Amino acid sequence: MKQAPMTKRIDLECVHCGHITPFIKPVPACPNCGENILKARYDLRALRESGWVDVMLRREPGMWRYHELLPLYNTENIVSLGEGWTPLLHAKNLGLQLGLKNLYIKDERQGPTASFKDRQASVAVSVMREQGITEAVVASTGNVAIAYSAFAARAGIKMWTFLTSMVPGEKMREAAIYGGEVIKVTGTYDQAKIVAASFAESRGLFLDKGIKSVAAVESMKTMAFEIAQQLNWKSPDWFIQSVSGGMGPIGVAKGFEELIQLGLLDRSPALGVVQSSGCAPMVRAWKNGQRVATPVDNPQTIIATLSTGNPGRAYELLYDLIGQNGGAMEDATDEEAFNATRMLAETEGLSVEPATAVAFAGLIKLARRGIIKPHEVVVINCSGHTFPVETQILGDQFARQVDVSDVGKRVSVPEEGLLAALEHMETRVRRIVVIEDNVAAGRLITRILQAKGKYEVHLANGGAEGVLLIERVNPDLVITDLMMPDIDGFKVIDALKADEKRRNIPVIVLTAKELTTRERERLSGQISGLLQKGSFMDEDLLQSIVDALT
Ligand SMILES: *Cc1c(COP(=O)(O)O)cnc(C)c1O
Ligand SMILES: [Zn+2]
């Protein structure tokens, strides 16, 4: 196959003063002004004119099919573990719950070390190999250390990773397994970065700037390239990600920008940038309309991955990008993130790490506030896997406990005792009739309830079926849609209230539309809960059920 351009030229442009230098090797800062964020520039017009797109599309799917747009000169230096080309999953269940028809999840958990830092590590370590670097230093909030250590092991490069002590022990062990040196710095991530830099300096070792390196930003572009193709060469309306340093969305935005210049797209998505509430310098500044963020010295979040207190220039770049392409910044508390973790797992079968859940918690807020519109195409970066599950998410109550120690004195398991203990634990099962003519919505509600274990759910497809089902199963609770073609929710409630034996069964109404005053009056006193479809969360639904049943 013919390689598109025979000679590759890469320049570095300073984001602050615009000074341009040819990319010969990774440099710590702009030689002119000292700024540490530099942008790689390629000859996109030559690529476009050479028919590069067709050449690229014939290559194997994977991140390195875009190598002409990555900062590496010789493809023989590529260090790969099969990163990139992750699936774009249509999230129909979560979308239904949030009122977003076109919600897509870019499942970055499926990379070699289970986070989107695999892209960064593959490019960064390949560049190190090309530069003849044999030993390097990087600071990390966890995932960079794991990914760099894995790729460096493959390349035979010695890695020194400096981690803030906030990083969970499991992640530290994961980084250590690849044989590099793991240094736990008791302090914040910003402090760990300083310690790493002075260590590299004193030993004369190469310091990778982590997320602020050219390799990092360039690697993130590949997500945009993949998403655009996965959406049939359309830009999504939104790209959402939780951020720490913030270079992820900056790289993705650069990718969309390059696709526009290559003639493949006509616009870039709005950016949804989400931070953890305990460490949200960007969100705070953005909400105050400030272009410069005040650093957070003491991050108050247990989500170490998102604990960059000082975003520096990255925030200004994001601020400008949002000004240009639209978007919003939002924060989410650790608790909101943990709730989102469960919601995502239960609706879509995706288990994510807390940092990723922050993005989903932010998405939920943006959707509920109407900042993201129902028809918009939304892509969310599902950037990391919860592996292993951190105890904060599940607490110690995730499994049912059966204690048989005091049931019998025999050493073998006393079977009757076990059954008795199980029976004792069982609380009464509550029967619920769900009346919903939208099959998918009905199934979703059923699933939410069944995931909680103690509900027996009977689903009726429409009002007529619902009335019959109520008579047949005598439920403890009825959940009904209002707008249904045959017998609507109002008539179901009328029938129930006219039934001597069943008029006290509580009713929760789910409605897709705003109710008129008259409709509200008609329901008042008749129902114990009213939820607007597309804006409730499973917790709201469960809370209304608990309230109605007590
Ligand atoms: C690195 C990381 C982030 C933050 O990304 P930045 O673009 O560096 O701010 C979010 N989630 C996960 C899982 C990460 O590993
Ligand atoms: Zn400069």
Side-chain angles (χ1 to χ4, degrees):
M1 199 183 298
K2 226 176 76 198
Q3 292 271 319
M6 290 313 290
T7 49
K8 183 167 178 177
R9 174 169 179 155
I10 309 166
D11 288 321
L12 296 181
E13 180 187 336
C14 171
V15 298
H16 182 57
C17 74
H19 182 79
I20 293 178
T21 40
F23 173 61
I24 297 159
K25 62 181 174 79
V27 287
C30 168
N32 186 44
C33 76
E35 167 60 43
N36 64 6
I37 302 179
L38 304 171
K39 258 188 178 174
R41 293 279 180 223
Y42 310 83
D43 192 345
L44 292 171
R45 191 198 293 171
L47 270 188
R48 186 178 175 171
E49 285 168 2
S50 72
W52 172 76
V53 173
D54 295 329
V55 174
M56 177 275 288
L57 286 173
R58 282 197 297 272
R59 293 180 184 148
E60 288 280 303
M63 205 181 91
W64 288 99
R65 70 195 324 214
Y66 313 109
H67 66 80
E68 285 88 350
L69 294 175
L70 292 171
L72 194 75
Y73 289 101
N74 188 340
T75 53
E76 279 171 27
N77 294 316
I78 291 173
V79 182
S80 175
L81 281 165
E83 59 293 327
W85 204 255
T86 54
L88 188 68
L89 307 170
H90 189 183
K92 290 190 187 150
N93 296 327
L94 185 62
L96 198 61
Q97 220 160 327
L98 300 178
L100 300 175
K101 278 196 204 67
N102 302 305
L103 175 61
Y104 294 89
I105 296 174
K106 184 67 171 157
D107 192 7
E108 290 294 303
R109 306 171 315 153
Q110 300 197 33
T113 70
S115 88
F116 75 131
K117 300 302 194 313
D118 284 319
R119 295 177 190 269
Q120 178 184 339
S122 181
V123 177
V125 173
S126 299
V127 171
M128 287 178 202
R129 178 190 264 177
E130 188 160 86
Q131 298 288 332
I133 292 164
T134 55
E135 195 169 349
V137 178
V138 71
S140 168
T141 56
N143 290 342
V144 157
I146 294 170
Y148 274 55
S149 299
F151 282 83
R154 200 161 163 82
I157 293 171
K158 180 175 170 110
M159 274 316 299
W160 295 81
T161 54
F162 286 70
L163 294 134
T164 150
S165 46
M166 296 163 67
V167 173
E170 293 86 344
K171 281 199 174 178
M172 295 204 183
R173 282 195 289 279
E174 181 69 15
I177 193 86
Y178 299 108
E181 303 285 344
V182 176
I183 320 289
K184 175 174 161 183
V185 178
T186 303
T188 64
Y189 171 51
D190 293 308
Q191 289 166 327
K193 274 197 280 197
I194 294 168
V195 175
S198 56
F199 173 80
E201 163 121 69
S202 69
R203 292 268 186 124
L205 295 176
F206 173 71
L207 175 70
D208 184 284
K209 289 193 295 172
I211 199 70
K212 288 217 157 66
S213 70
V214 169
V217 177
E218 295 304 291
S219 70
M220 299 304 167
K221 292 190 317 197
T222 59
M223 258 189 292
F225 299 160
E226 293 174 14
I227 291 166
Q229 186 178 352
Q230 286 167 321
L231 292 174
N232 273 317
W233 301 109
K234 290 218 173 58
S235 168
D237 296 301
W238 286 86
F239 175 80
I240 308 218
Q241 196 199 295
S242 55
V243 306
S244 186
M247 298 308 278
I250 291 173
V252 167
K254 184 171 189 273
F256 280 109
E257 188 53 45
E258 289 179 359
L259 291 173
I260 293 171
Q261 291 179 35
L262 287 164
L264 289 165
L265 290 184
D266 53 9
R267 65 193 172 90
S268 286
L271 296 178
V273 171
V274 192
Q275 291 201 291
S276 171
S277 302
C279 185
M282 302 202 215
V283 180
R284 215 156 292 151
W286 191 77
K287 290 195 170 172
N288 289 329
Q290 294 159 341
R291 190 167 174 269
V292 176
T294 307
V296 170
D297 292 332
N298 269 306
Q300 299 294 317
T301 170
I302 58 168
I303 306 176
T305 309
L306 300 181
S307 63
T308 300
N310 185 2
R313 180 89 63 202
Y315 168 67
E316 292 169 37
L317 299 178
L318 282 172
Y319 179 93
D320 292 347
L321 279 168
I322 290 179
Q324 210 176 294
N325 301 330
M329 293 202 183
E330 192 50 84
D331 65 315
T333 64
D334 291 6
E335 200 195 340
E336 286 168 332
F338 296 152
N339 287 336
T341 309
R342 280 194 300 269
M343 184 167 168
L344 181 62
E346 289 166 11
T347 56
E348 298 293 350
L350 301 175
S351 177
V352 298
E353 72 168 84
T356 295
V358 166
F360 282 86
L363 165 76
I364 291 165
K365 286 182 166 176
L366 294 174
R368 295 181 100 183
R369 297 214 186 110
I371 294 170
I372 300 177
K373 305 281 182 296
H375 63 275
E376 289 184 313
V377 177
V378 180
V379 173
I380 180 161
N381 180 353
C382 184
S383 36
H385 198 290
T386 177
F387 179 77
V389 175
E390 289 168 32
T391 51
Q392 292 92 334
I393 298 171
L394 295 175
D396 46 12
Q397 301 294 314
F398 63 92
R400 290 183 188 231
Q401 304 278 335
V402 178
D403 188 351
V404 292
S405 59
D406 60 356
V407 176
K409 296 273 180 309
R410 283 168 295 170
V411 178
S412 64
V413 178
E415 208 172 326
E416 323 92 288
L418 187 62
L419 287 176
L422 271 173
E423 231 157 70
H424 199 71
M425 192 182 65
E426 209 62 303
T427 50
R428 192 166 88 77
V429 173
R430 303 297 198 125
R431 227 173 281 143
I432 301 178
V433 164
V434 175
I435 308 172
E436 171 63 77
D437 66 328
N438 177 329
V439 178
R443 231 184 274 137
L444 177 66
I445 296 166
T446 306
R447 217 168 329 126
I448 294 172
L449 299 181
Q450 281 170 344
K452 302 299 156 183
K454 54 185 193 301
Y455 302 113
E456 177 186 311
V457 185
H458 298 263
L459 186 57
N461 180 234
E465 207 180 303
V467 171
L468 291 175
L469 199 58
I470 291 170
E471 280 171 20
R472 190 155 61 78
V473 307
N474 245 326
D476 297 294
L477 172 75
V478 173
I479 299 177
T480 182
D481 190 5
L482 265 194
M483 299 306 144
M484 292 177 289
D486 55 345
I487 293 188
D488 67 15
F490 293 106
K491 293 201 191 107
V492 169
I493 293 165
D494 289 345
L496 189 67
K497 297 299 165 185
D499 181 341
E500 199 70 45
K501 287 192 305 242
R502 303 189 177 85
R503 65 165 46 136
N504 291 327
I505 298 176
V507 179
I508 292 173
V509 166
L510 282 180
T511 168
K513 60 165 209 133
E514 282 296 343
L515 296 187
T516 63
T517 320
R518 233 188 107 235
E519 287 167 335
R520 277 186 186 277
E521 274 165 14
R522 229 183 123 185
L523 290 177
S524 107
Q526 307 268 49
I527 62 170
S528 32
L530 178 70
L531 292 168
Q532 183 94 27
K533 277 191 207 169
S535 71
F536 77 84
M537 309 237 297
D538 49 357
E539 288 79 32
D540 300 339
L541 177 63
L542 290 165
Q543 194 54 50
S544 323
I545 291 172
V546 170
D547 293 347
L549 288 174
T550 47

